[in-house]
Structure formats: C-alpha cells, structure tokens
Amino acid sequence: MTSNQEDYLKVLYEAGGLERHISNKEIADKLAVAPASVSEMLAKLNQNGLVEYEPYKGSRLTEAGLAACMDVVRSHRLWEVFLMRHLGYTWREAHEDAHLLEHVAPARMVERLDMFLNHPRMCPHGHEIPQRRELPHPVPLLRLSDLHVGERAVVSQIEEEGALLDYLERIGLHIRKPVEVVEIEEYEGGVTFVQEGRMIHVGQAAARRIFVEREEGSEQ
Ligand SMILES: [Zn+2]
Ligand SMILES: [Zn+2]
C-alpha cells in the first residue's frame, strides 16, 4: 500500500468511517485535494476491499481497511509522543513530522518506540493510541462550543490541524484538565473559560474543534 492510500484510510478512520459513510467532499477537505482525485482513489480502495463505496452516500472502512490503517495511526501517535517528550516539538510540529515518520518506520521500530515511551495511552493532542491488533472505536464527544455558562468539563482532545494547534498551544490550553465556561458571546461568538485558574478566550471556530468530556477524568 502506498503512503497516499494509507492517508485516505486514516482520514476515513479519524472521521468516524467505521460507523458512518463519509462523503467525498469531507475527505477532499480533510486531505486538501481535488474531489476528482478523491473519487479515483476511493474507486481503487473499493476494488481492493479496503473501503465500501456507495454512490451519493460516501465510503465506509471495511474490516480489512481498518486493519490496514491501524498500524499507521498507532505509529503516528507514538511518534508524536516521542517528538514532544524528547525533542521539544510543539503540538503542530509533532503532528506534521509524525505524518512523515508514520509511513516509513518499520513495525519493529514502532514496537521499540512504544516500549521506550513506556506504552503511552494518548497522543499529545488527546487521541487514543490503538494497541496492536485492535482499534478503539471513536467515542462520540462533546464540543467546547456545546457547553453552557457555568458548566464544567475536561478537555479530552483537539482537532489536529496545524494553525489550530499553534493557536491553542500559544494561548496555553491543556489536554486532560478541567475547564469551566464563564461567558459565551451571542451569535457564533467566542467562548471564555477558566482552566487551571487562567481565563482563556477562544473564537467559535476553535471552540467547535476542542472536544470535552463531562465526567471527571482530570489528573489531579
Ligand atoms: Zn497527529
Ligand atoms: Zn496527535
């Protein structure tokens, strides 16, 4: 499988393509490629039994497709942990360079990396690291923008997009720490919340891409 094919499977997985059909448009947006090349690639993956494509509905990952992308997802997230913990990478840098390493690192290197890092459970952006031979099912998550004033929740994960990662790291957002919403501006306005005693304000677009959980899962 080419690294390009691996990217398609990974995007499908991360968009919830085990549970629902993902449209060509959504895939094209996520990969920043032309819709025509998406159709072409999906036809190929469909032929190889890695996705199941239905006209007008989109594509779902098959079991074979899932198995094929699992190793890539695992490798990507382990590399992110390594790059941040040991090489001083930022959130964005780690995501970008892990994307290069995920395709070239052989399986035994990834397993040694996992041991070296002492089997981390999450990537630095809060996404679960799948264990060998099983992928976690994506959990439906609440967005920061869904919370009301006065509500508390724990930041569980953030969407991995370069500019967003830079922005959230710069304003000092932390993963796995509780937040309490103190103000929501009217009509698609921003959200102001407190995290670890600090007041933080984010715009609506960012608030929709920060995911939270209601139960107490914070590290005290
Ligand atoms: Zn990433
Ligand atoms: Zn990550």
Side-chain angles (χ1 to χ4, degrees):
M1 196 164 29
T2 67
S3 64
N4 194 19
Q5 289 175 326
E6 288 175 349
D7 283 345
Y8 274 78
L9 296 178
K10 203 172 64 153
V11 159
L12 273 173
Y13 170 68
E14 285 169 353
L18 280 175
E19 284 90 13
R20 65 182 182 103
H21 287 83
I22 312 293
S23 72
N24 284 14
K25 166 138 189 359
E26 192 173 337
I27 298 171
D29 287 350
K30 289 227 153 82
L31 286 168
V33 295
S37 32
V38 172
S39 322
E40 201 177 305
M41 177 63 86
L42 286 172
K44 198 177 292 172
L45 293 171
N46 186 53
Q47 223 167 38
N48 297 343
L50 297 170
V51 306
E52 173 199 289
Y53 176 75
E54 275 187 58
Y56 307 109
K57 281 180 84 180
S59 308
R60 278 178 78 138
L61 266 185
T62 63
E63 286 294 317
L66 178 63
C69 80
M70 186 205 70
D71 290 339
V72 184
V73 172
R74 177 173 164 78
S75 172
H76 178 93
R77 294 179 181 169
L78 285 168
W79 281 117
E80 287 182 334
V81 174
F82 175 81
L83 294 171
M84 286 201 67
R85 244 192 233 173
H86 298 286
L87 302 186
Y89 273 55
T90 66
W91 269 349
R92 178 183 191 155
E93 290 169 341
H95 173 65
E96 286 175 354
D97 287 3
H99 185 66
L100 305 174
L101 293 163
E102 74 191 19
H103 298 297
V104 292
R108 70 173 167 209
M109 185 187 284
V110 175
E111 289 328 298
R112 300 282 172 88
L113 181 64
D114 180 52
M115 274 198 285
F116 176 70
L117 297 170
N118 202 17
H119 317 292
R121 286 178 40 247
M122 302 276 178
C123 86
H125 317 98
H127 301 266
E128 194 175 344
I129 296 172
Q131 299 308 301
R132 281 196 71 70
R133 296 294 128 214
E134 57 170 86
L135 265 192
H137 280 237
V139 254
L141 293 161
L142 199 64
R143 296 160 195 267
L144 178 64
S145 55
D146 296 331
L147 298 180
H148 302 290
V149 171
E151 262 193 291
R152 281 171 63 84
V154 175
V155 175
S156 56
Q157 55 181 247
I158 50 182
E159 213 171 286
E160 297 192 8
E161 187 269 306
L164 178 75
L165 293 176
D166 274 350
Y167 171 61
L168 296 179
E169 190 161 39
R170 185 169 53 73
I171 63 175
L173 184 78
H174 288 132
I175 308 275
R176 312 243 50 98
K177 300 284 184 195
V179 293
E180 183 175 341
V181 175
V182 294
E183 194 191 348
I184 301 168
E185 285 163 14
E186 278 175 70
Y187 191 68
E188 298 276 303
V191 178
T192 306
F193 56 92
V194 174
Q195 188 181 46
E196 298 186 289
R198 289 178 55 237
M199 190 89 92
I200 301 179
H201 176 86
V202 294
Q204 177 66 214
R208 273 200 297 265
R209 297 156 87 191
I210 297 170
F211 295 89
V212 298
E213 280 165 24
R214 278 218 172 81
E215 75 267 31
E216 292 294 48
S218 62
E219 292 160 355
Q220 299 301 336

